[in-house]
Each structure stands twice: as C-alpha cells, then as structure tokens.
Amino acid sequence: MSKTSVRAAAVQISPDLVSRGGTVERVLNAIAEAADKGAELIVFPETFVPWYPYFSFVLPPMLQGPEHLRLYDEAVTVPSAETRAVAEAARKRGAVVVLGVNERDHGSLYNTQLIFDADGSLKLKRRKITPTYHERMIWGQGDGSGLQVVETAVGRMGALACWEHYNPLARYALMAQHEEIHASHFPGSLVGPVFGEQIEVTMRHHALESGCFVVNATGWLTEEQIASIHPDPKLQKGLRDGCMTCIITPEGRHVVPPLTSGEGILIADLDMRLVTKRKRMMDSVGHYARPELLHLVQDARPVQALHQILPQPAAAPAAGPATSNECEANDA
C-alpha cells in the first residue's frame, strides 16, 4: 500500500439513451468535473456506455428485438475510439477510471468493466460472469480470467458488477488477491426502493468481509427517459428508485452520505490505513482463514470457442540404404 489517502468519486448521472457518443460525452464531462475536485479514482455505473438495457426489464421477449439490435449498433468494441477517448481523459487528469460498457464482440454483447490507470493504460477488461434474470436475454457470460485484482495508481483494485456480489466465491477470488479498493456498480433506476436497500447491505458487507474500501456507482433515469422506455405507468414503476451510489470504509461505514436520487458525484477521501486496522481484527483470507479446511480453486483461463490443432508439415523422407541399382551406378 503506497498511498495513505485516496480521493474517490462515485458518479450517478443519466446516460444518453439516443447515442453512444452522447453518453461518452457525459462520461468525459464527469471525469473533468470529478478531477477538478481532486478525484484520483472515478467510478461510473453499470454498462453506462451506451446505456443499461432497461428495456429488457419491462418488455416481453417478442418486443425486445428492435431495442436489442439498436444496443448492438451503439455498443462499444474494445479498443475503439470511445475507449481511447476515456483513456486519454484518465491520462490527462491523472485519474483511475472504472467504466461499465456494453461490449460488442462480433455477434455477442457482454456486460464489461474497464479499469483505466492514471497513465491511460487499460489495466483490466472483465466480463460479468453471469447476467441476471432479464439480462440473460441480452448478454453472454464472462469467464474466470477477469476475476483479477490489478495494481493501479491508487492501490490494488478489484471489480464486480451488480449481483455478482451475491456470488460469494467470485468475491472471495478478489479478496484472496488482497484488494484494497473494490469498484462496483449497478444500473440504478430499477426495481424500486428495495433494490437500493439491498445494494447498501451488500456493499457494506463486502467492505467488512474483504477489509477494503468499496466505491459503488448507480445510474439515474429522468422521468422523460422512463416514459421513452415504456408508456405504461404500471411498468414505469419498475424503472424508478433502486439507486445507492455510496463509498464505504473497511469498517462498513459510509464515508459520506449516499446518493439515492437525482444526479450527482460523491467525493470522499479514503484513509487507506483503515485497511490494516480492519484486517488486524479479521483478515478473512489470512489469519482468519482455514485454507487447509476450505479453499477456492479458480480457473483463470480465458474461454475460447475454438481450439485449432493444425496439421504438421510433412517431414522430408529419410535417406535409406542404397539400392542395388544405386550401388551399380556408384561403381560405374
């Protein structure tokens, strides 16, 4: 742990539901605003670019086609002009940026988390290992290669998206790699108030169990955006509330009051000494662990759809013993 204090920002803003470019512009503006306030770490909501697929929560499968295809058109590839713009903003402002994107990889979409270091390098690209409920119609599954903790300018960072936090083994894989700051994000403006309550419990619990800071960002939808997703007031109830943008200490406390409605950026100073203070009492992957009784095996190999075994080039025929004709020719 090289830094004793880190200024972190958790961003709760609305995407542009019309274009990828519009949302990227909002990301770049938020990076500048947070950096102007001294932020060294800036975390954005889940699949914020171009937007979270809210439509999939309120539309039946038969009606999802046009919006799903539009999401394909607006999704980002990695790398791309969009990721390079975010990388340059991170480098210019000297900030670590965690961004959720809909990543397109040929014929599939993925819920992907990107961690850009303060020098603009992409330190981690990981995909959500199991999309949740309605999301399974939208995204493919990630693999174990993304369950990594990476060294950044602000410390050792891990990341998970949304209900991946209900997979205790995924969380333990990051805990066992000694994450100091955990970046997380949820869609926000979804399900209702109970969603925000659940997020708070989950984030505080992970901070306590991992002995790390948690910086969590959720998204926000305006009333106009909610109406554009679905006209039925009954279904619109499922696109409100559910926000819990928060920054949690290793002792499970809010550093600053959480943001549960509207747009805004939480700014907080993380006293990194609290990591050791918490782990002195309970290090769940160290002195409080019993690996000889219980331990985790992680397959960190990237999954590949094709493993090619190519034919070997034919070997040149080996020289054998001379024939009688060859011997006669040599004698001549």
Side-chain angles (χ1 to χ4, degrees):
M1 186 184 305
S2 59
K3 297 176 71 71
T4 58
S5 179
V6 172
R7 178 159 289 189
V11 179
Q12 181 169 295
I13 56 177
S14 303
D16 183 333
L17 295 181
V18 176
S19 75
R20 173 180 63 230
T23 301
V24 171
E25 183 177 357
R26 296 184 185 193
V27 168
L28 299 178
N29 290 340
I31 291 174
E33 180 180 346
D36 284 345
K37 296 176 181 178
E40 303 165 87
L41 168 64
I42 307 168
V43 179
F44 287 89
E46 182 179 7
T47 59
F48 189 66
V49 180
W51 51 77
Y52 178 84
Y54 294 100
F55 66 86
S56 63
F57 190 62
V58 293
L59 291 179
M62 282 188 67
L63 300 181
Q64 289 185 20
E67 280 301 302
H68 198 182
L69 288 171
R70 193 166 73 90
L71 186 60
Y72 267 85
D73 290 339
E74 298 294 332
V76 301
T77 56
V78 182
S80 63
E82 292 78 18
T83 61
R84 285 190 287 271
V86 175
E88 175 59 20
R91 186 200 64 78
K92 181 178 179 181
R93 303 311 295 257
V96 177
V97 175
V98 183
L99 180 65
V101 301
N102 289 271
E103 179 197 2
R104 180 169 180 173
D105 187 352
H106 298 282
S108 293
L109 298 179
Y110 296 92
N111 178 332
T112 296
Q113 292 175 295
L114 305 176
I115 298 182
F116 298 92
D117 209 350
D119 62 1
S121 61
L122 181 60
K123 297 302 292 279
L124 181 66
K125 185 194 83 168
R126 68 167 305 270
R127 294 168 173 174
K128 188 175 184 179
I129 55 177
T130 303
T132 303
Y133 191 48
H134 57 286
E135 297 171 352
R136 293 175 192 170
M137 295 286 294
I138 307 301
W139 298 316
Q141 295 181 319
D143 57 40
S145 66
L147 293 174
Q148 297 182 40
V149 169
V150 293
E151 290 282 358
T152 73
V154 297
R156 294 182 59 78
M157 287 197 63
L160 292 174
C162 202
W163 276 18
E164 285 187 305
H165 293 89
Y166 291 152
N167 187 324
L169 299 184
R171 292 193 303 108
Y172 197 81
L174 301 183
M175 291 159 57
Q177 296 174 63
H178 312 292
E179 62 178 355
E180 297 165 344
I181 302 175
H182 180 80
S184 60
H185 46 216
F186 291 71
S189 287
L190 202 69
V191 179
V194 68
F195 197 28
E197 296 167 10
Q198 292 170 348
I199 293 170
E200 181 183 26
V201 171
T202 305
M203 297 299 94
R204 296 179 72 177
H205 176 75
H206 182 71
L208 281 167
E209 195 170 69
S210 183
C212 71
F213 282 92
V214 173
V215 182
N216 182 68
T218 58
W220 173 256
L221 291 178
T222 66
E223 285 300 311
E224 292 76 16
Q225 288 177 321
I226 291 171
S228 73
I229 294 169
H230 205 288
D232 187 342
K234 293 182 180 179
L235 292 177
Q236 288 176 3
K237 293 179 180 179
L239 300 174
R240 294 191 180 97
D241 301 306
C243 296
M244 178 54 64
T245 293
C246 56
I247 301 175
I248 311 294
T249 75
E251 296 175 322
R253 297 174 175 173
H254 291 277
V255 186
V256 292
L259 185 59
T260 58
S261 65
E263 293 188 304
I265 301 178
L266 290 187
I267 302 287
D269 291 321
L270 314 184
D271 182 353
M272 300 304 294
R273 295 171 297 182
L274 292 180
V275 173
T276 301
K277 182 181 178 183
R278 170 62 179 167
K279 289 192 172 183
R280 182 182 72 87
M281 299 296 293
M282 198 287 294
D283 183 356
S284 59
V285 298
H287 61 77
Y288 211 71
R290 292 295 305 276
E292 78 281 13
L293 303 180
L294 300 165
H295 63 270
L296 174 64
V297 176
Q298 176 189 349
D299 187 346
R301 294 173 296 179
V303 171
Q304 295 179 328
L306 174 65
H307 293 268
Q308 289 186 323
I309 301 176
L310 299 176
Q312 297 296 317
T323 65
S324 58
N325 290 338
E326 289 174 337
C327 293
E328 292 174 357
N330 290 335
D331 291 342

